[in-house]
Amino acid sequence: MQSVLGIETSCDETGVAVYRAGAGIVAERVYTQADHAAYGGVVPELASRDHVRKLPGMIHQVLADAELAPADLDAVAYTAGPGLAGALLVGAATAVALAAAIGRPAIAVHHMEGHLLSPLLDVDAGLDFPFVALLVSGGHTMLVEVRAIGAYRLLGETLDDAAGEAFDKTARLLGLGFPGGPEVARLAATGDDQRYAFPRPMVNRPGLDFSFSGLKTHTRLLIGRVDPADHADVAAGFERAVVETLVIKCRRALQQTRLQRLVIAGGVSANRRLRAALDSALPGQVYYPPLALCTDNGAMIAHAGWHRRREGRCDGQISVRARWPLTELSVPTDLPT
Ligand code: KG4
Ligand code: ZN
């Protein structure tokens, strides 16, 4: 099996890429929808329509970039969930139709598995199983023990907001743009992260779950009483609180599992402060996707699809799941519970 086309449409990024065995990602394009910024969050109906508009042309372009005809593809992988149902359906219908037209299998990929496996795309990094993965995106915050492809055990997750969501909401409170993570990080870089005290949610409780809603409330109340000129200090203190909370839980997860390697993936893994803090807390143990592949993209879907296809996976029907627990992907038998 040589070349797999990957299609990502779970939210507001349209991503298309080709993964080729032995060569890695040979062509890739991502289109980030801009219309949502005016609404301060992703509008599902707008997202679906934009995917419809962009996807066919992007598939043509990516195949041309890869110097492939559709018939040269060995499989077509697509994000089947979790995500916005209408947006997912655009990618799923397109992928299944294309696969049927060329007589190849379509492969339904779990979006978070795409993120989780993306650090393997950097073969020079030398990542190998087993590892602990911290998945931090706009919709998810979880720690997963990864023994092999498909052998996932949930160690902990957020009880309320996801880390990226906390960044997005804080950005909105600070009057910054969407998506909020990069905007908060930019403002935080000019601020004093010690000026205001912030809670470190749940770090004193045992276990590996997260909660960010208390931090969000704290930040909202603080913003209500400080001068806008001090917003950079608020952003810096908030970012530091999120980063430190994540670092504490990651270190705890490695201790509990007695594993040596930590993978960080999902949009928030692009955060430079988080990367720096993890690198200094766990030197030589942390693996990231390439920066460009932290946020949603087609490359991670093509790559995960290639692994799943190698296992013989084939999904002929158009089916998507807006909610889809990662742990349902497989029931590993060799993991201690
Ligand atoms: O993985 P992703 O692109 O989409 C989902 O699957 O949700 O993650 C998007 C999330 C957004 O909440 C965004 O604000 C956050 O990742 N994000 C960041 C950074 N870049 C993206 N958060 C903090 N710092 C960043 N540099
Ligand atoms: Zn994502």
Side-chain angles (χ1 to χ4, degrees), residues 8 10-11 13 82 111-112 115 136-140 266-267 294-297 300:
E8 156 65 34
S10 68
C11 195
E13 259 97 20
H111 180 81
M112 298 313 289
H115 277 303
V136 268
S137 69
H140 297 86
C294 287
T295 46
D296 292 348
N297 61 82
M300 68 183 194

Side-chain angles (χ1 to χ4, degrees), residues 204-324:
N204 295 323
R205 284 199 230 162
L208 295 168
D209 285 334
F210 303 89
S211 165
F212 291 105
S213 70
L215 180 60
K216 179 187 64 188
T217 307
H218 179 93
T219 307
R220 179 167 53 77
L221 295 174
L222 181 61
I223 290 170
R225 59 185 169 78
V226 303
D227 193 90
D230 298 326
H231 279 181
D233 299 338
V234 175
F238 164 82
E239 186 183 44
R240 180 162 171 227
V242 174
V243 165
E244 286 186 9
T245 304
L246 294 173
V247 170
I248 288 166
K249 298 280 171 155
C250 285
R251 191 190 279 154
R252 198 180 285 175
L254 288 183
Q255 279 163 358
Q256 270 188 24
T257 55
R258 297 200 183 87
L259 295 178
Q260 308 296 324
R261 288 179 284 260
L262 179 76
V263 158
I264 317 288
V268 183
S269 70
N271 187 279
R272 289 176 197 281
R273 199 166 184 157
L274 176 62
R275 289 178 171 225
L278 282 167
D279 282 336
S280 80
L282 301 161
Q285 293 183 275
V286 191
Y287 297 80
Y288 313 93
L291 257 187
L293 298 184
C294 287
T295 46
D296 292 348
N297 61 82
M300 68 183 194
I301 303 305
H303 172 243
W306 180 83
H307 279 288
R308 287 299 190 175
R309 177 62 195 145
R310 212 164 50 148
E311 295 176 347
R313 179 85 173 262
C314 177
D315 305 281
Q317 290 180 346
I318 300 171
S319 72
V320 298
R321 286 182 69 179
R323 293 178 181 278
W324 185 5

Side-chain angles (χ1 to χ4, degrees), residues 63-143:
L63 288 175
D65 293 345
E67 299 181 355
L68 292 174
D72 298 329
L73 294 170
D74 297 283
V76 183
Y78 63 96
T79 304
L84 303 169
L88 290 165
L89 273 170
V90 177
T94 307
V96 171
L98 175 57
I102 60 175
R104 302 287 187 192
I107 299 158
V109 170
H110 191 290
H111 180 81
M112 298 313 289
E113 183 175 55
H115 277 303
L116 187 154
L117 299 177
S118 60
L120 290 167
L121 276 167
D122 182 1
V123 285
D124 295 334
L127 173 64
D128 208 351
F129 300 105
F131 54 80
V132 169
L134 172 71
L135 301 178
V136 268
S137 69
H140 297 86
T141 296
M142 52 181 152
L143 277 160

Side-chain angles (χ1 to χ4, degrees), residues 161-199:
D161 293 350
E165 199 178 351
F167 270 99
D168 294 335
K169 286 178 177 169
T170 296
R172 205 178 312 169
L173 291 167
L174 290 168
L176 303 173
F178 178 83
E183 300 275 335
V184 170
R186 207 169 298 131
L187 183 62
T190 65
D192 173 3
D193 64 5
Q194 313 266 17
R195 174 148 179 216
Y196 301 112
F198 281 81

